[in-house]
Amino acid sequence: MKKILKIVGIVIFGIIILIVLVVGFLLIKNYIDSQKPWLEKDYYTQFQPDLELEKKYAGLGDYEVSGMVVKSGDKTIGNIRIWYPSEMENRQNRYPLIVVVNGSNTAALNYEPYFERLASWGFVVVGNDDRQAGTGISTSQTLDYMLEQNQNPGNLFYEKIDTQNIGIAGYSQGGVGAVRAVTECENSGLYKAIFTGSVAHSYLAQMWGGYDASNVSIPWFMTAATGTSDDTGATDAATEWLGVAPLSSLVENYNAMPDSVFKLRARVAGAEHAEIQMKTDGYMTAWMLYQLQGDEEAGKSLTGENAEILHNANWQDIEKNR
């Protein structure tokens, strides 16, 4: 009997060792994968919009782009990553700033080509490596950092940031963080426009403290995908999985906002949650160009009774008040 128990003990110990090794391997692999790029450098060429303005703004702008990485003293933020028009190094112009909020388990290091493409349209674009950005705190701190550099005579960004034109973009959990960043932080009032891609619906967003769309007082372009990853068709969030950003959540957020503010909601036809960043790039860029640079051509894609988005087969469930 003792011999049998001994053998059983050895087998159990062996199984435990195997489990530990497997778990350790998976953790190491997950860490290594998390440090890799998730976007190809020319990712924007993989999506070809049908209409002229969306196609134009989904591509590269006219500015050459440079970038830098700044080590943060905050473990949550990790590194702050900044992209900017290269000409800024030799000119005294001021450039609009866009702060980007990461989706779940995503860091700015994973999708650097997105930042670079956006900066090529004449923006300073900043992100960080916070992989759980739903509270909006790390985003607020990142904005504070950029504003501090704008006031530091010894810094590259000294008086180069147009503080009257600051935008924010967030995807999925990052959409939650973006809404909270513009409504709940000490520097919330500095943002001029917001874009969200598949912002998590209000019930799901409780994981990160929730948000109140009625407190958004700046122009908001809210988007989502039509696929089941964003909208399963279910209706009871307490008992069913609705997807990340069902149409009902866009309608709820849109209706909660005051009518005095420019608001636009739309969904990408035939897209899934993981595609929302690439497939909204064109009109996201146009939105920021219009809101932060006063670009009237870009505005034609989204504003007015004949806005391009209204005639674009790639988009549906559109409602706007401008």
Side-chain angles (χ1 to χ4, degrees), residues 89-103:
E89 297 173 357
N90 301 306
R91 300 184 67 176
Q92 294 303 311
N93 294 9
R94 293 179 183 265
Y95 300 83
L97 173 69
I98 299 176
V99 185
V100 181
V101 194
N102 304 319

Side-chain angles (χ1 to χ4, degrees), residues 48-306:
Q48 292 296 328
D50 292 331
L51 299 187
E52 179 183 357
L53 293 179
E54 184 182 26
K55 184 175 183 178
K56 174 180 178 177
Y57 297 118
L60 289 177
D62 294 332
Y63 292 82
E64 291 187 10
V65 176
S66 298
M68 66 168 61
V69 179
V70 180
K71 187 176 179 63
S72 167
D74 187 290
K75 292 182 179 179
T76 299
I77 291 175
N79 290 317
I80 293 174
R81 301 174 186 271
I82 313 165
W83 290 260
Y84 57 91
S86 301
E87 67 172 34
M88 192 189 77
E89 297 173 357
N90 301 306
R91 300 184 67 176
Q92 294 303 311
N93 294 9
R94 293 179 183 265
Y95 300 83
L97 173 69
I98 299 176
V99 185
V100 181
V101 194
N102 304 319
S104 297
N105 197 33
T106 304
L109 68 88
N110 297 129
Y111 57 114
E112 292 185 344
Y114 163 89
F115 291 86
E116 185 174 4
R117 190 202 66 81
L118 187 53
S120 76
W121 288 96
F123 300 103
V124 175
V125 189
V126 61
N128 60 45
D129 290 340
D130 181 7
R131 295 178 181 275
Q132 298 295 327
T135 65
I137 294 173
S138 65
T139 301
S140 176
Q141 293 171 335
T142 299
L143 175 58
D144 280 343
Y145 172 82
M146 294 303 298
L147 296 176
E148 289 169 4
Q149 306 321 304
N150 190 54
Q151 296 178 338
N152 180 358
N155 192 271
L156 170 65
F157 296 98
Y158 178 58
E159 295 186 346
K160 299 290 182 66
I161 295 174
D162 182 355
T163 57
Q164 300 303 306
N165 287 288
I166 300 174
I168 186 170
Y171 299 84
S172 193
Q173 181 189 157
V176 178
V179 175
R180 297 189 69 180
V182 304
T183 58
E184 300 180 21
C185 301
E186 288 187 11
N187 56 16
S188 292
L190 299 178
Y191 294 99
K192 188 178 179 181
I194 178 173
F195 170 90
T196 56
S198 297
V199 58
H201 64 79
S202 58
Y203 189 86
L204 178 60
Q206 292 177 19
M207 294 175 59
W208 307 289
Y211 61 85
D212 187 346
S214 68
N215 289 331
V216 178
S217 58
I218 57 176
W220 184 2
F221 181 13
M222 57 188 79
T223 67
T226 58
T228 55
S229 50
D230 261 2
D231 193 343
T232 65
T235 57
D236 186 354
T239 61
E240 304 171 288
W241 172 243
L242 306 186
V244 178
L247 175 59
S248 58
S249 69
L250 263 68
V251 173
E252 177 184 350
N253 290 340
Y254 183 92
N255 291 342
M257 281 188 67
D259 292 331
S260 58
V261 181
F262 184 9
K263 51 185 178 178
L264 191 165
R265 66 170 174 84
R267 295 203 298 170
V268 184
E272 292 294 344
H273 185 75
E275 301 173 297
I276 197 67
Q277 187 177 73
M278 181 194 302
K279 291 190 174 183
T280 60
D281 256 4
Y283 286 151
M284 177 276 298
T285 303
W287 175 256
M288 292 300 181
L289 285 167
Y290 176 67
Q291 296 292 343
L292 306 182
Q293 294 187 20
D295 189 322
E296 293 296 333
E297 182 187 39
K300 290 178 181 179
S301 64
L302 301 169
T303 64
E305 296 181 358
N306 199 38

